[in-house]
Amino acid sequence: MIAFIIRRLFQSVLVLLAIALIAFALFNYVGDPVSNMAGQDATPQQREALRHELGLDHSFIVQFARFVGRAAHGDFGLSYQEARPVGQIIVEKAPATLELSLVAALMALILGVPMGVYTGLHRNSFLSQVMLTGSLIGISLPTFLIGILLILVFSVTLGWLPSYGRGPVVHIGWWTTGLLTLGGWRAIILPATTLALFQMTLVMRLVRSEMIEVLRTDYIKFARARGLSRRAINFGHALKNTLVPVITITGLQLGAIIAFAIITETVFQWPGMGLMFIQAVTFADIPVMAAYLVLVGCFFVVINLVVDLLYYVVDPRLRIERRHAANV
Amino acid sequence: MRPAILRVILATAAVAMLALHAEAKTFRWANDGDVTSMDPYAREETFLLAFDQNFYEPLIRRDRNMKLEPGLATKWVQTSPTTWRFTLRKGVKFHDGTAFTADDVVFSFERATQPGSNVGGALATVKEVRKIDDYTVDIITDGPDPILPFDLPTVAIMSKKWCEEHNATRAADLTKKQENYATRHEDGTGPFILKVREPDVKTVLVKNPNWWGLKHEPIDIDEADFMRIANASTRVAALLSGELDMIYTVPPQDIARIKSTPHMKIWQTPELRTIFLGFDQSRPELLESSVKGKNPFMDKRVRQAFYEAIDENAIAAKVMNTYAHPTALIVGPGVNGYDAALDKRFPYDPAGAKKLLAEAGYPNGFEVGFDCPNDRYVNDAAICQAVTAMLAKIGIKADLLAQGRAKFFGKILHPHYDTSFYLLGWTPGTHDALNALTSLVQTRHGKDGVFNIGGYSNPAVDALDAQIQVELDPKRRDALIAKALGIVRDDFAYIPLHQQVVVWATRSNVDLAQTGDNFFQLRFVKMK
């Protein structure tokens, strides 16, 4: 077990290095930050001096080595755009993204699972058809369009909910939360719905197909034969067995939600890390981009690691198979 | 239970809305970009300079018609060809209560020209700033500089004491690994005081009750909340839903919609920025072209053919939705030295263009690379697509490369000048034509012609520039500028396309001063 964790940790470090390298290679194509930073009246000498100060006149290898060396100490440098430490910017933005992602993930689960169960049990009912057709929209419409549509309906036409921002936030230490104020909750509804819609569809369809699968199995038939109540069969036996893959997928999707919050955050001007990343790209703010990509890489690596470990712990078959494999 | 909750929510919302109306004088506005720094020397960028001047003031400022008027200086005279004497305003206090004196001016000008500052370009001719007494300052220039006052509205005055106390005597220095105090705090003399600064989320300014100008220039709003909303549709939605009082920039495709919405108002005025096309005229062979061994753009006939092939009126009408003012010059109305009599475009004449190309030895046209930004100017990429199609009609195959501003400028600007044919926009920072002439037209040498990307070189224009630089008589100076602009036009050094139109949108109860330099100042805002 410990050997497994150590091996995985070692692999994780390699993965992160690879991400950093690829990201850094891409930065050669995002453009010249100096032209954004120096004003239109700056002289060529001033531009050169700035380039030198930033270390942009060094070769790719040297720049990369310096970045990794500093990043290992947790120092991601100063944002070109804001002239503030990148670490500080990320700490400021992270709560917004994490809160949005969490609310979206919960929304997807709380709505997705019951809908999946219902459509699995009543396959031909009218309501199931409506839900399934509706879920097609969730899968096929691009996120930004859903966001804009929600804004159009609920902000502009009905005037119920704010169209942008996070609303009033409460500071708890370095963490900021919008979940303790009414305004904060009003502000999170639209972006969280936008972000949750795809995941909700995914969860619903997953639960539905698993339910259908499980309901066909022998032990359900036996349970029916024993005369157990429908409720006990559907929720006590069937649903419980469908949840293992659902939990895995949701765990993995949490990483995706955090990473893909970029679009939702851009549409709703949600002051999180995704928005920060997009703005860094337009400015060629390399330190911010690098830190963000490495951080998202970290999220994925950690989530994957945890899921792997959970598998290992939860499913005894895996352990046995591994031992067999090792013997061969 | 549920209707009850709903009722509570609705009631709360109603109360909240009433509360908003009660303290009516909060002005909320949004822009697509954030002010990246509270330090007025951090970047030479219109939006940042305009925002920071709500709390930092220059010696000379611009009024609601962009005319110079006294700011922190009440009087300025040229006491010798190389000396300007400024009389400073008395009784002005910084927001922390310190009195404003000549020491602050000397300090600020020094800070503005040091590394880390990006507004030093405006003070390029300043050799020395000399304190005469507490309220008199002499600025000694490096040779005569008749237009120094036009440079000064860019340079805001900071407090010497405050900067020294907070270790901010230099503008943001990226080599140091720490944030400069002035990046997120301010201590100016201006009509507004910074109250909350949350980068990228919200910046709140409140009225300065002790501002020196209050007597003749009452400030109508008590608080101003600035939000950044990068997404154009969201920005417009927030205005339409009443969450904001003003937005700029306004996406062109939404102008008609905002106009037709009750209680909304569109403001427009020609911008000082001129959009134009330029050619590489200096390399013996173009970098990106099918023509080898020579540079077709060195032939004036080819440049003229390009000019005549482009139907600017169609671009203004169709691509720009009429929000553009076609132009023949590289500077537009509102820029000092602009001459309306000269501003006559040569006719659109594709047949003539074809003939010119044939005369120049390219009867079948040729292929050339075409660089264009896609996020810098209004509809920039669409303009380039239209130009590409128009050039195709005379047999020119322009290979359009439209990319983001960081990539675009990295490619075409100093030191690479890596382009054969490109689109660029220019606003003279001084609002004076000389800035455009020295930056865009003068032969590249040292700090001259840095943005003369095509490497155009004409000794006649260079000589005129030198004369304009030292000419003290405004009439004669204007005549020299007109002569230079005329040469540039008739030589087809550039293909000027149009001046953009500045478009702002507000709720109809808002009154403000819109200027062609896109310089939005809160002190002009009034709310009914």
Side-chain angles (χ1 to χ4, degrees):
Chain A
M1 181 78 180
I2 290 174
F4 171 74
I5 293 179
I6 290 174
R7 202 163 55 231
R8 284 309 300 258
L9 280 179
F10 180 69
Q11 286 168 354
S12 307
V13 171
L14 282 186
V15 167
L16 284 179
L17 271 179
I19 291 172
L21 184 69
I22 293 170
F24 233 78
L26 286 177
F27 296 154
N28 281 331
Y29 300 97
V30 295
D32 183 7
V34 172
S35 67
N36 279 324
M37 296 167 74
Q40 67 173 17
D41 290 334
T43 64
Q45 288 74 25
Q46 285 167 338
R47 281 162 203 274
E48 270 326 299
L50 183 58
R51 201 179 300 279
H52 179 72
E53 269 180 33
L54 299 176
L56 291 172
D57 50 352
H58 289 288
S59 71
F60 171 74
I61 306 285
V62 174
Q63 286 190 46
F64 179 65
R66 283 190 179 171
F67 170 76
V68 172
R70 284 198 308 259
H73 296 98
D75 172 15
F76 286 99
L78 228 53
S79 156
Y80 294 167
Q81 196 177 1
E82 291 187 34
R84 298 196 294 136
V86 174
Q88 191 188 334
I89 297 178
I90 288 187
V91 165
E92 263 171 35
K93 309 278 179 191
T97 298
L98 294 179
E99 247 171 36
L100 177 64
S101 308
L102 215 67
V103 170
L106 285 177
M107 228 164 152
L109 277 182
I110 292 171
L111 295 174
V113 172
M115 276 161 67
V117 171
Y118 182 85
T119 48
L121 293 176
H122 311 275
R123 264 188 282 171
N124 298 318
S125 84
F126 176 71
L127 196 55
S128 292
Q129 300 301 327
V130 171
M131 284 181 190
L132 283 174
T133 315
S135 75
L136 271 180
I137 295 175
I139 280 198
S140 49
L141 277 190
T143 319
F144 66 88
L145 192 62
I146 295 175
I148 292 290
L149 284 177
L150 288 177
I151 289 177
L152 190 65
V153 175
F154 291 100
S155 301
V156 177
T157 311
L158 297 172
W160 289 355
L161 298 168
S163 57
Y164 72 95
R166 231 184 139 190
V169 293
V170 179
H171 292 261
I172 305 172
W174 59 272
W175 187 272
T176 56
T177 179
L179 301 183
L180 295 177
T181 60
L182 179 68
W185 274 104
R186 274 163 45 89
I188 207 170
I189 295 175
L190 292 186
T193 310
T194 309
L195 194 55
L197 209 55
F198 180 82
Q199 310 297 337
M200 190 171 80
T201 312
L202 191 75
V203 169
M204 174 187 135
R205 293 192 161 241
L206 194 69
V207 170
R208 175 176 176 271
S209 60
E210 288 288 328
M211 275 300 269
I212 293 172
E213 196 69 25
V214 170
L215 286 175
R216 274 202 218 112
T217 53
D218 290 340
Y219 69 85
I220 297 293
K221 284 184 193 146
F222 283 122
R224 285 213 183 106
R226 272 175 62 199
L228 293 182
S229 72
R230 285 185 71 91
R231 201 188 165 82
I233 297 171
N234 291 342
F235 292 94
H237 296 277
L239 182 61
K240 224 183 233 172
N241 278 292
T242 63
L243 282 186
V244 181
V246 172
I247 288 167
T248 323
I249 294 285
T250 322
L252 290 176
Q253 286 295 323
L254 187 64
I257 290 183
I258 292 172
F260 299 129
I262 290 180
I263 295 167
T264 310
E265 287 186 4
T266 316
V267 171
F268 289 95
Q269 192 63 31
W270 190 262
M273 295 187 293
L275 191 62
M276 169 196 80
F277 178 69
I278 286 292
Q279 283 157 8
V281 170
T282 39
F283 197 87
D285 194 344
I286 294 172
V288 172
M289 284 191 278
Y292 174 81
L293 289 176
V294 170
L295 192 71
V296 168
C298 262
F299 276 136
F300 270 93
V301 165
V302 169
I303 290 171
N304 272 299
L305 189 65
V306 170
V307 168
D308 272 356
L309 290 177
L310 277 181
Y311 254 16
Y312 209 69
V313 173
V314 170
D315 197 337
R317 285 172 298 181
L318 262 182
R319 271 171 282 175
I320 296 163
E321 271 162 29
R322 254 178 205 284
R323 217 165 284 144
H324 275 294
N327 289 341
V328 172
Chain B
M1 184 68 189
R2 273 190 88 162
I5 291 177
L6 196 65
R7 221 171 295 150
V8 170
I9 292 176
L10 284 177
T12 321
V15 169
M17 279 170 127
L18 280 178
L20 272 178
H21 274 282
E23 49 182 79
K25 295 292 173 151
T26 298
F27 174 77
R28 302 150 303 164
W29 89 108
N31 185 273
D32 53 341
D34 191 25
V35 218
T36 45
S37 178
M38 298 296 111
D39 191 324
Y41 307 159
R43 198 160 294 136
E44 193 195 13
E45 173 193 68
T46 307
F47 183 62
L48 182 141
L49 293 174
F51 189 92
D52 288 359
Q53 284 203 5
N54 287 314
F55 36 80
Y56 284 111
E57 294 173 297
L59 291 180
I60 302 173
R61 59 178 193 181
R62 291 185 188 277
D63 67 7
R64 55 191 309 147
N65 300 313
M66 290 194 290
K67 295 264 179 301
L68 297 185
E69 68 172 8
L72 289 179
T74 49
K75 224 170 66 184
W76 52 94
V77 284
Q78 210 165 3
T79 52
S80 83
T82 56
T83 310
W84 280 90
R85 173 159 293 186
F86 290 82
T87 311
L88 304 183
R89 195 176 290 278
K90 292 192 176 111
V92 175
K93 287 212 162 30
F94 287 101
H95 296 159
D96 68 353
T98 322
F100 158 74
T101 66
D103 289 325
D104 299 306
V105 178
V106 176
F107 166 79
S108 296
F109 279 37
E110 195 187 318
R111 190 180 189 271
T113 45
Q114 269 175 355
S117 158
N118 273 311
V119 297
L123 301 176
T125 58
V126 175
K127 202 165 83 184
E128 196 196 335
V129 183
R130 208 178 282 157
K131 173 184 171 181
I132 303 301
D133 61 48
D134 268 359
Y135 294 99
T136 314
V137 170
D138 273 358
I139 297 185
I140 320 290
T141 55
D142 199 0
D145 185 1
I147 57 152
L148 181 72
F150 287 93
D151 279 311
L152 294 184
T154 317
V155 187
I157 301 300
M158 300 179 76
S159 158
K160 181 178 187 215
K161 178 169 157 260
W162 182 82
C163 285
E164 283 172 351
E165 267 170 19
H166 295 99
N167 195 19
T169 52
R170 283 239 194 150
D173 184 355
L174 286 162
T175 49
K176 282 187 204 147
K177 292 291 166 224
Q178 55 185 5
E179 183 180 354
N180 193 309
Y181 189 76
T183 305
R184 276 214 273 182
H185 304 84
E186 60 87 16
D187 182 32
T189 54
F192 288 87
I193 300 175
L194 179 69
K195 192 171 124 195
V196 179
R197 168 66 179 157
E198 291 176 43
D200 263 340
V201 183
K202 193 177 184 184
T203 306
V204 177
L205 304 179
V206 290
K207 179 170 149 181
N208 175 5
N210 303 316
W211 185 47
W212 56 266
L214 281 183
K215 266 169 274 160
H216 12 261
E217 210 188 326
I219 301 294
D220 188 53
I221 49 177
D222 302 305
E223 186 183 310
D225 299 354
F226 168 71
M227 259 74 62
R228 177 197 197 171
I229 304 183
N231 187 292
S233 318
T234 314
R235 204 160 56 243
V236 173
L239 176 74
L240 295 181
S241 65
E243 292 165 79
L244 293 173
D245 298 304
M246 179 225 189
I247 58 168
Y248 82 109
T249 348
V250 182
Q253 66 272 18
D254 285 327
I255 292 174
R257 181 162 158 239
I258 296 173
K259 235 185 200 164
S260 65
T261 310
H263 310 303
M264 295 293 154
K265 188 169 171 185
I266 289 283
W267 299 70
Q268 61 184 80
T269 187
E271 192 178 0
L272 294 189
R273 171 174 283 122
T274 300
I275 305 293
F276 55 85
L277 300 169
F279 320 91
D280 178 0
Q281 304 163 49
S282 62
R283 289 188 178 86
E285 181 182 298
L286 290 179
L287 293 174
E288 301 158 3
S289 172
S290 59
V291 181
K292 295 293 166 207
K294 57 178 173 174
N295 180 342
F297 291 137
M298 283 180 170
D299 188 332
K300 184 177 152 189
R301 287 170 299 186
V302 175
R303 303 201 295 267
Q304 186 176 353
F306 271 56
Y307 190 117
E308 292 182 355
I310 292 166
D311 185 358
E312 168 52 31
N313 289 331
I315 293 178
K318 300 284 185 270
V319 179
M320 301 298 290
N321 264 323
T322 71
Y323 291 98
H325 169 263
T327 184
L329 302 179
I330 52 168
V331 294
V335 173
N336 192 38
Y338 166 80
D339 187 350
L342 271 178
D343 195 0
K344 302 272 183 296
R345 279 188 66 86
F346 297 105
Y348 166 58
D349 181 8
K354 238 180 148 164
K355 229 168 83 195
L356 279 168
L357 270 188
E359 277 172 31
Y362 308 99
N364 302 317
F366 57 89
E367 192 177 338
V368 65
F370 182 17
D371 287 296
C372 189
N374 62 17
D375 59 356
R376 181 65 190 90
Y377 313 112
V378 179
N379 287 344
D380 40 13
I383 296 170
C384 291
Q385 281 158 2
V387 167
T388 304
M390 289 166 181
L391 289 176
K393 285 193 191 152
I394 61 161
I396 298 293
K397 182 169 183 291
D399 298 317
L400 176 60
L401 176 62
Q403 42 185 357
R405 63 174 91 177
K407 291 268 318 163
F408 168 75
F409 286 122
K411 181 170 187 269
I412 76 156
L413 292 191
H414 171 87
H416 307 297
Y417 296 123
D418 180 5
T419 184
S420 299
F421 181 49
Y422 62 93
L423 176 133
L424 194 70
W426 188 264
T427 308
T430 52
H431 298 205
D432 184 90
L434 179 64
N435 170 283
L437 287 170
T438 51
S439 303
L440 300 174
V441 187
Q442 195 155 335
T443 306
R444 281 203 304 245
H445 178 72
K447 45 179 210 192
D448 295 329
V450 173
F451 286 83
N452 182 354
I453 291 160
Y456 175 79
S457 177
N458 186 336
V461 179
D462 291 354
L464 280 169
D465 284 357
Q467 274 176 277
I468 297 166
Q469 181 80 57
V470 296
E471 179 57 63
L472 300 177
D473 178 63
K475 271 242 169 65
R476 277 205 301 259
R477 190 169 181 276
D478 282 354
L480 290 170
I481 290 176
K483 209 167 154 194
L485 290 177
I487 294 178
V488 173
R489 182 189 68 171
D490 298 340
D491 215 7
F492 301 97
Y494 288 102
I495 306 178
L497 294 177
H498 52 249
Q499 275 92 36
Q500 296 176 171
V501 172
V502 183
V503 183
W504 299 350
T506 65
R507 295 173 67 77
S508 48
N509 63 339
V510 174
D511 185 44
L512 44 75
Q514 190 186 31
T515 49
D517 51 2
N518 218 351
F519 212 80
F520 171 57
Q521 292 291 285
L522 287 170
R523 68 188 152 105
F524 298 122
V525 173
K526 300 225 174 342
M527 288 171 80
K528 270 169 255 158

